[in-house]
């Protein structure tokens, strides 16, 4: 029997859920505590005894990534729907209020999407804390032990990096939650959260291997830690360190671009040479499949008899931004018509949908074997070019990096640009290369372009300055009086 990656089996997942203890039942401070019947006799105190226990525990830290509350669905909505890349409406159902509110920037602290990502991310953080605290006491191979702890630190940094970019300062919890006491934690400053992120990624970078083989492929690597440090420094506008870290990834020789853009998304190529870090998925009835191929396809396009849901529909603005000869457009997006097969309904004013995650062999909407490319090598090259330009203008190395991406797309090399023109070119290239890979919202916010981009896409949408951060979920603040709200909400 073929086992799913990283999480191994559903039975092991059940054990890891028990080991999450408090945060499997509630978030950091909010969420109902439910009475549950134990599925086994395992407890946190009697579980961490051997190397197999340590492996199961560290596998559990990756598990939330494929949750519908994170990269299974909610993360796409937060990272795309509130940008100029995706919009809700145009003849689509208005029943999904959260998507409509994100698209129109009418969301509030009560919008359910924010609570979903907050709760699940802190569940993941609690699992990393449990590994970091408990695995050191296990008698096992010391090299493997160090790697497991480094994986947990990598994932803790990753989870906090997601939270701080979405919400700003958040509660910085670095110990496992073991009881219902002392759950009301105040928000740490943005600087303190980033300090911990850099520390954890740096610790992980020093220990993690460059590559894995077999069933371990997809776990956090040294290169992934280095690449995320580059992204952290880029976000913080620390151009010198961003250049240094991106260059280390490039010089490592571990990664390369696929020759053609379609190869990036072939299921046979997942965790391949362009992959730096991916959400793992495996169809076939393991309950570990990807929701992307089902959620993003339109309801009128059936695959193996199964209709999609049409989430994250691309804007006409994005579609028209691609040149007709850009080889990425028709891999990333599919524009239907009233006469195409299948035909788009007349009610949809612009029937365009994300197509890069189609799994033609999937037998259900949750059975795609597509990994989600959280960070790939093309992103590293573009980060390197951007940071170089911010340092010294468009250098030869900066041109070389961006032009590698453009050549694969069938576009001419860039040359002769000013620093400002190159900055614009990088942002555009990131949009076209990385569309629907979870970067657009972050890119627009960190470059100060969100408001202008939304106005260009739809002048009727008014984006207040406060929306450069999402609101702290109201349900969290209801039970934790120490949580302050972001200004403007």
């Amino acid at each position: 029997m073929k086992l799913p990656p990283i999480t191994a089996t559903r039975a092991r997942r059940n054990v890891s859920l028990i080991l999450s203890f408090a945060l499997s039942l509630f978030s950091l401070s909010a969420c109902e505590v439910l009475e549950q019947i134990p599925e086994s006799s395992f407890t946190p105190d009697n579980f961490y005894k051997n190397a197999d226990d340590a492996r199961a525990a560290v596998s559990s830290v990756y598990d939330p990534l494929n949750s519908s509350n994170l990269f299974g669905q909610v993360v796409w909505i937060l990272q795309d729907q509130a940008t100029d890349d995706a919009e809700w409406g145009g003849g689509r159902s208005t029943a999904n209020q959260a998507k409509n509110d994100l698209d129109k920037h009418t969301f509030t602290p009560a919008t359910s999407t924010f609570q979903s990502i907050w709760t699940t991310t802190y569940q993941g953080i609690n699992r990393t804390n449990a590994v970091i605290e408990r695995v050191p006491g296990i008698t096992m191979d010391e090299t493997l032990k160090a790697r497991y702890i480094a994986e947990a630190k990598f994932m803790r940094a990753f989870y906090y990096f997601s939270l701080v970019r979405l919400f700003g300062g958040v509660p910085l919890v670095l110990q496992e939650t073991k009881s219902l006491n002392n759950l009301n934690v105040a928000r740490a400053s943005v600087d303190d959260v980033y300090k911990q992120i850099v520390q954890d990624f740096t610790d992980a970078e020093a220990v993690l291997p460059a590559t894995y083989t077999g069933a371990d492929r997809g776990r956090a690597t040294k290169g992934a830690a280095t690449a995320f440090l580059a992204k952290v420094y880029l976000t913080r506008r620390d151009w010198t360190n961003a250049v240094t870290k991106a260059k280390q990834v490039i010089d490592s020789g571990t990664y390369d671009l696929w020759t053609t853009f379609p190869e990036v998304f072939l299921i046979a190529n997942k965790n391949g040479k362009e992959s730096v870090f991916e959400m793992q998925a495996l169809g076939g009835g393991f309950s570990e499949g990807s929701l992307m191929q089902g959620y993003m396809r339109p309801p009128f396009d059936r695959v193996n008899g199964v209709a999609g849901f049409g989430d994250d529909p691309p804007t006409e603005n994005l579609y028209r931004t691609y040149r007709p000869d850009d080889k990425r457009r028709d891999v990333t997006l599919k524009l239907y018509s009233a006469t195409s097969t299948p035909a788009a309904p007349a009610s949809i004013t612009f029937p365009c949908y994300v197509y890069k995650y189609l799994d033609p062999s999937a037998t259900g909407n949750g059975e795609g074997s597509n990994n989600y490319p959280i960070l790939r090598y093309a992103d590293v090259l573009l980060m390197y070019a951007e940071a170089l330009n911010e340092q010294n203008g468009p250098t030869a190395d900066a041109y070389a990096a961006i032009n590698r991406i453009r050549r694969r797309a069938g576009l001419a090399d860039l040359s002769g640009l000013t620093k400002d023109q190159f900055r614009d070119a990088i942002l555009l290239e990131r949009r076209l290369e990385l569309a629907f890979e979870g970067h657009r919202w972050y890119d627009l916010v960190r470059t100060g372009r969100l408001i202008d981009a939304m106005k260009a896409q739809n002048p009727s949408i008014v984006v207040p300055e406060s929306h450069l951060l999402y609101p702290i979920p109201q349900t969290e603040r209801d039970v934790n009086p120490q949580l302050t709200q972001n200004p403007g909400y």
Side-chain angles (χ1 to χ4, degrees):
M1 179 178 71
K2 188 176 182 181
L3 298 180
I6 294 180
T7 49
T9 65
R10 295 298 293 178
R12 179 168 289 176
R13 175 187 274 188
N14 288 339
V15 171
S16 70
L17 289 173
I18 292 168
L19 297 180
S20 296
F21 191 47
L23 286 187
S24 290
L25 306 179
F26 50 88
S27 73
L28 178 66
S29 60
C31 199
E32 293 182 357
V33 179
L34 306 178
E35 182 178 356
Q36 293 192 347
I37 300 173
E39 296 181 44
S40 75
S41 60
F42 289 117
T43 69
D45 290 331
N46 68 20
F47 179 76
Y48 292 88
K49 300 300 183 184
N50 55 49
D52 287 341
D53 296 345
R55 181 179 177 83
V58 78
S59 292
S60 78
V61 307
Y62 297 95
D63 194 61
L65 293 177
N66 202 2
S67 162
S68 62
N69 286 340
L70 290 187
F71 290 90
Q73 185 191 19
V74 168
V75 167
W76 322 329
I77 298 170
L78 288 182
Q79 294 173 160
D80 298 323
Q81 201 67 66
T83 77
D84 54 348
D85 276 2
E87 65 181 339
W88 197 256
R92 298 176 178 90
S93 170
T94 57
N96 194 314
Q97 192 62 44
K99 293 173 187 173
N100 191 65
D101 285 346
L102 281 161
D103 175 51
K104 305 301 186 292
H105 278 263
T106 55
F107 51 80
T108 72
T111 300
S112 60
T113 313
F114 305 125
Q115 182 62 55
S116 298
I117 195 169
W118 181 285
T119 299
T120 304
T121 303
Y122 272 109
Q123 287 174 349
I125 289 169
N126 194 57
R127 296 181 189 188
T128 68
N129 289 337
V131 170
I132 293 166
E133 286 184 30
R134 294 179 182 271
V135 167
I138 296 175
T139 300
M140 58 179 291
D141 179 84
E142 291 298 322
T143 300
L144 186 58
K145 178 193 293 187
R147 193 198 92 189
Y148 286 163
I149 295 168
E151 286 183 65
K153 287 187 174 183
F154 173 97
M155 287 305 301
R156 184 167 70 181
F158 173 82
Y159 287 133
Y160 273 120
F161 188 39
S162 298
L163 287 173
V164 75
R165 289 187 294 167
L166 292 170
F167 300 108
V170 293
L172 191 58
V173 181
L174 304 177
Q175 292 81 38
E176 179 189 5
T177 302
K178 299 176 182 177
S179 76
L180 296 174
N181 298 320
N182 302 316
L183 292 180
N184 291 344
V185 181
R187 298 172 69 180
S189 69
V190 168
D191 286 344
D192 283 347
V193 176
Y194 271 111
K195 182 178 179 180
Q196 186 62 47
I197 290 167
V198 170
Q199 184 64 62
D200 278 347
F201 274 139
T202 301
D203 289 349
E205 179 188 39
V207 174
L208 291 173
T211 60
Y212 295 93
T213 58
D216 284 333
R217 293 182 70 203
R219 291 178 179 270
T221 62
K222 176 183 179 67
T226 307
F228 271 108
L229 280 169
K231 188 170 283 289
V232 169
Y233 290 129
L234 194 80
T235 303
R236 301 288 277 167
R237 306 179 70 81
D238 182 345
W239 311 122
T240 298
N241 278 318
V243 167
T244 298
K245 288 302 176 182
K247 186 69 159 54
Q248 286 176 2
V249 177
I250 294 168
D251 289 347
S252 71
T254 303
Y255 308 98
D256 200 359
L257 298 179
W258 291 105
T259 303
T260 66
F261 192 70
E263 290 178 281
V264 177
F265 305 99
L266 292 178
I267 292 171
N269 288 342
K270 63 185 187 179
N271 298 318
K273 62 182 180 180
E274 194 163 334
S275 167
V276 178
F277 190 62
E278 300 183 350
M279 179 209 81
Q280 303 296 303
L282 182 66
F286 297 106
S287 297
E288 299 286 351
S290 166
L291 296 167
M292 291 181 294
Q293 68 88 30
Y295 272 102
M296 291 187 174
R297 281 188 301 102
F300 53 85
D301 188 357
R302 293 179 175 270
V303 174
N304 297 325
V306 180
F309 294 103
D311 275 22
D312 253 17
T315 60
E316 184 171 359
N317 175 289
L318 173 62
Y319 186 85
R320 304 300 179 199
T321 299
Y322 285 97
R323 290 168 48 117
D325 59 345
D326 191 323
K327 296 177 181 179
R328 296 170 295 196
R329 187 190 69 178
D330 294 341
V331 174
T332 302
L333 310 174
K334 184 171 183 178
L335 181 60
Y336 296 80
S337 71
T339 59
S340 65
T341 303
S347 60
I348 305 298
T349 57
F350 188 70
C352 188
Y353 294 86
V354 181
Y355 216 66
K356 70 201 302 183
Y357 299 122
L358 178 68
D359 179 358
S361 67
T363 57
N365 282 327
E367 290 299 327
S369 289
N370 325 68
N371 284 1
Y372 185 93
I374 297 172
L375 203 161
R376 57 185 173 92
Y377 187 56
D379 188 1
V380 175
L381 291 173
L382 292 173
M383 288 193 291
Y384 181 57
E386 180 178 346
L388 282 173
N389 181 63
E390 295 299 337
Q391 269 191 321
N392 300 305
T395 64
D397 285 344
Y399 277 118
I402 191 174
N403 285 334
R404 285 195 64 189
I405 305 298
R406 292 177 58 83
R407 286 175 201 147
R408 184 171 69 174
L411 303 179
D413 284 358
L414 296 177
S415 63
L417 302 180
T418 66
K419 183 176 184 177
D420 288 344
Q421 290 170 335
F422 194 90
R423 182 185 297 121
D424 292 342
I426 282 287
L427 187 61
L428 174 61
E429 208 63 42
R430 290 186 62 82
R431 185 185 190 189
L432 302 177
E433 174 72 21
L434 304 171
F436 296 97
E437 296 179 37
H439 301 282
R440 185 60 173 169
W441 193 82
Y442 300 125
D443 285 346
L444 290 174
V445 168
R446 69 180 177 78
T447 59
R449 307 285 185 95
L450 177 64
I451 294 174
D452 288 343
M454 290 301 297
K455 186 180 297 183
Q457 185 259 315
N458 187 341
S460 71
I461 296 176
V462 178
V463 181
E465 289 282 349
S466 59
H467 285 201
L468 300 181
L469 286 175
Y470 287 130
I472 303 299
Q474 187 58 46
T475 44
E476 293 295 321
R477 299 191 67 235
D478 288 343
V479 297
N480 181 0
Q482 295 195 50
L483 281 181
T484 57
Q485 184 56 275
N486 286 326
Y489 290 103

